[in-house]
Amino acid sequence: MELYPWQTELWQKVADMRSRMPHALLLQGHRGIGKLHFAVRLSQSLLCEQPLPGHAACGVCQSCNWFQQDNHPDFRLLEPEDVESTADEESSAPAKTSKKSQIAVDQVRELGDFLGLSSHRSGLRIILMHPAEALNLASANALLKMLEEPPPAVLFLLVTHQPQRLLPTIRSRCNVIDMPLPARSMAETWLAAQGVQQASQRLAYAGGAPLTAVQEEAGADKRLAELHAMLNHGAQMDPFAAAALCVRDGVAEVVSVMQKWVYDLLSLHLAGQLRYHGLQAESLQGLAKRVDLAKLLDFQRTLDEARRHAQHPLNADLQLESLLIQYTQVFSTTSRP
Ligand SMILES: [Zn+2]
């Protein structure tokens, strides 16, 4: 994968250090700007046997092959490992709680073996730690010992968005590289090229971090699918449960989703066409056959009214319940052929 466009300038600076690379780099910056991506690309480039001009990895040498198969003998990625919560085997709870929160001291100690070997190819070995703030006190101290007496030809690459959570003694032994937020115009252009709608607003909401903006949009799409699944239940929907589910989306958002939904119900019922929900055509057609036209038109007016006042709902729960009850009632009890 290519670098993100906002990283090329920093890339030149860092990759130019390859002949005099310090033994530890700390990449720090805002979450959602591609720090890990940068660190992985840098690792591949430093291990590559015939890097291209501009220090990009060649992608075809033995080293690059290993790297691309997550199989490079001179590279280690340390990330938090699964910490199973104290096992309780008698309860067969479906939600098996495992959390990934810490880089354990054993993970760091095992590096001792890795560092004891000689390198397989270029002479360099790289240890990438992400996120470095996941080091706990014990693992941080184990790492500190290695940083105090760095083995030759080893690069420790630490990635963090919370450098203040690292031991100051670790920070001070690293060459710190600040990764800035991308320039807004560049990030917006990039987001738009990824097909992100309303790139400017999304970026602002994500605090200027473009990858966060992309993730949030993906989450919003998923949420929309959930709301549609809820509406798809028609008369069988439980309006109280549904209101509880969607209250966190806000009245304005839910009303806007319902307005489009009702528009298509009406359009299908009257003209056999739809405008917004091409992907749900089949289920909407089923629902459209069962609507009571007068009640649906009433409901459409109610939604328009709710939309006008949605910015200041006195009681979002009650308002959503009332709207969703009315929604379940637009379907006639007997289905028409
Ligand atoms: Zn290569």
Side-chain angles (χ1 to χ4, degrees), residues 44 47-51 57-65:
Q44 184 180 352
L47 292 168
C48 173
E49 287 158 19
Q50 42 208 260
C58 75
V60 293
C61 69
Q62 176 67 65
S63 183
C64 282
N65 277 331

Side-chain angles (χ1 to χ4, degrees), residues 1-53:
M1 251 179 93
E2 300 279 310
L3 288 168
Y4 295 111
W6 54 89
Q7 296 179 330
T8 50
E9 201 176 313
L10 183 66
W11 173 264
Q12 286 311 323
K13 218 173 94 188
V14 177
D16 277 347
M17 296 161 67
R18 68 186 305 140
S19 57
R20 47 189 169 86
M21 196 52 86
H23 66 266
L25 287 181
L26 174 62
L27 296 175
Q28 62 182 35
H30 205 291
R31 190 200 289 267
I33 58 172
K35 298 184 298 300
L36 177 62
H37 180 79
F38 186 93
V40 170
R41 292 279 66 80
L42 181 63
S43 302
Q44 184 180 352
S45 160
L46 293 175
L47 292 168
C48 173
E49 287 158 19
Q50 42 208 260
L52 305 173

Side-chain angles (χ1 to χ4, degrees), residues 28 77 92 110 138 140 146 150 158 193 208 214 271 295-296 321 333:
Q28 62 182 35
L77 174 62
S92 56
E110 279 162 16
M146 295 175 181
L158 278 62
V214 169
K295 286 181 181 169
L296 188 62
E321 280 170 13
T333 42

